[in-house]
Amino acid sequence: MAGVLLAAASPADAVNGPLAPCEPSSPTYPVFADPPRAQNWHNSELGPGWSPADCVSWAVEPFTILTALAGRFEFAGSGEDLALRFGAFSAWRGMLYWSVTDKRYQTLVTDAAALSGPDSSLRRPDFTLSELRSGADLYFMQQDNRSSDRVVYRLRVLAIGNDRLVVTVANVTQVSVFIFTAFDPGDLKSTYIFIRLSPTSPGTSPGGTSWGYYSLSGAREGAALLGSHGSSYLNRALAIYRHLAGLPGDQGPPLAE
């Protein structure tokens, strides 16, 4: 897959684990690919020197699995426009992903909404730009096709501007599958980084505006979640990328079949 692209540009600099694009001049800066590339790391595969980069804004935690994805897409707007797209949770409903179990595209997000607080009943309209720029904790809820209940997430916009956007997300309520707890609060964390690449970056389309996208997600699975879910994490990461990049959810092959 894309281990060397997502982990390091040179074997001499390699650390076993994902490296986020905090410093564009770094030799370990990930390659933003089209189509996107992704990789999973289980906790046992992380090198002793690995820790999340500062811009990821996580503490070192014993996640069961980490999933990183690096992509590139065309978007004519600014980082603020991308923040509005991210915060339009009403538009997350109906997001498609490839189900490895069912061997077909299915709806991943069956319900989603912005919230006025950490309670799934407090639905409200999508977040405004001033709210996203405030740096305050914002909340939204989602229900996917596997979970039994709506799950509340906390959203933090760490950086927002014309050329860059950094967003972190963490679950604040548990995720249940049937009557079992799959994830406790805080067991799911993700950071999304958007960086404007064009018009100066090589490989961008003439006259276009190309953006680099990087996501890093960590999952600490509960005892009730049995089996290997690496393929599902990859395809879910791809589904979110396609949504945020404004691409059809069923465009192109999945990352795992």
Side-chain angles (χ1 to χ4, degrees):
M1 205 166 291
V4 68
L5 296 177
L6 294 174
S10 165
D13 299 317
V15 176
N16 290 331
L19 294 174
C22 297
E23 298 294 337
S25 60
S26 168
T28 56
Y29 196 53
V31 174
F32 296 114
D34 182 17
R37 301 186 180 188
Q39 182 175 344
N40 289 324
W41 285 264
H42 291 87
N43 189 49
S44 60
E45 297 170 334
L46 296 173
W50 184 86
S51 63
D54 289 343
C55 63
V56 171
S57 190
W58 296 353
V60 178
E61 300 181 42
F63 288 112
T64 309
I65 189 169
L66 293 169
T67 303
L69 183 148
R72 189 178 70 211
F73 63 96
E74 299 297 309
F75 182 72
S78 66
E80 293 178 338
D81 295 320
L82 284 170
L84 284 171
R85 177 180 285 183
F86 198 110
F89 289 106
S90 61
W92 288 58
R93 300 173 199 150
M95 183 189 304
L96 298 176
Y97 85 117
W98 179 265
S99 169
V100 174
T101 302
D102 299 319
K103 303 300 180 185
R104 61 185 175 90
Y105 279 100
Q106 290 202 45
T107 299
L108 174 60
V109 179
T110 58
D111 193 13
L115 302 174
S116 56
D119 184 325
S120 64
S121 66
L122 301 176
R123 291 174 179 252
R124 48 149 291 171
D126 292 331
F127 296 117
T128 65
L129 181 58
S130 61
E131 289 172 317
L132 293 165
R133 290 181 59 88
S134 70
D137 287 351
L138 303 174
Y139 297 91
F140 66 96
M141 75 82 182
Q142 282 186 356
Q143 183 166 13
D144 69 22
N145 66 333
R146 302 299 187 193
S147 61
S148 302
D149 300 302
R150 299 182 181 96
V151 180
V152 177
Y153 295 87
R154 182 188 65 244
L155 166 72
R156 290 175 178 164
V157 178
L158 302 183
I160 182 171
N162 191 52
D163 299 326
R164 187 176 177 88
L165 173 68
V166 181
V167 178
T168 66
V169 170
N171 69 310
V172 298
T173 60
Q174 71 180 28
V175 181
S176 299
V177 178
F178 299 111
I179 62 173
F180 304 103
T181 299
F183 301 99
D184 286 318
D187 280 353
L188 296 172
K189 292 187 177 180
S190 299
T191 296
Y192 303 90
I193 301 173
F194 302 79
I195 299 172
R196 186 193 297 273
L197 301 179
S198 66
T200 58
S201 296
T204 59
S205 61
T209 303
S210 185
W211 284 79
Y213 170 97
Y214 184 88
S215 66
L216 179 63
S217 299
R220 185 167 48 239
E221 298 175 341
L225 200 62
L226 302 176
S228 175
H229 304 91
S231 295
S232 179
Y233 290 123
L234 291 172
N235 287 339
R236 286 168 179 251
L238 179 62
I240 293 172
Y241 162 76
R242 285 175 172 168
H243 171 74
L244 294 173
L247 302 171
D250 54 358
Q251 176 177 299
L255 289 171
E257 296 188 81

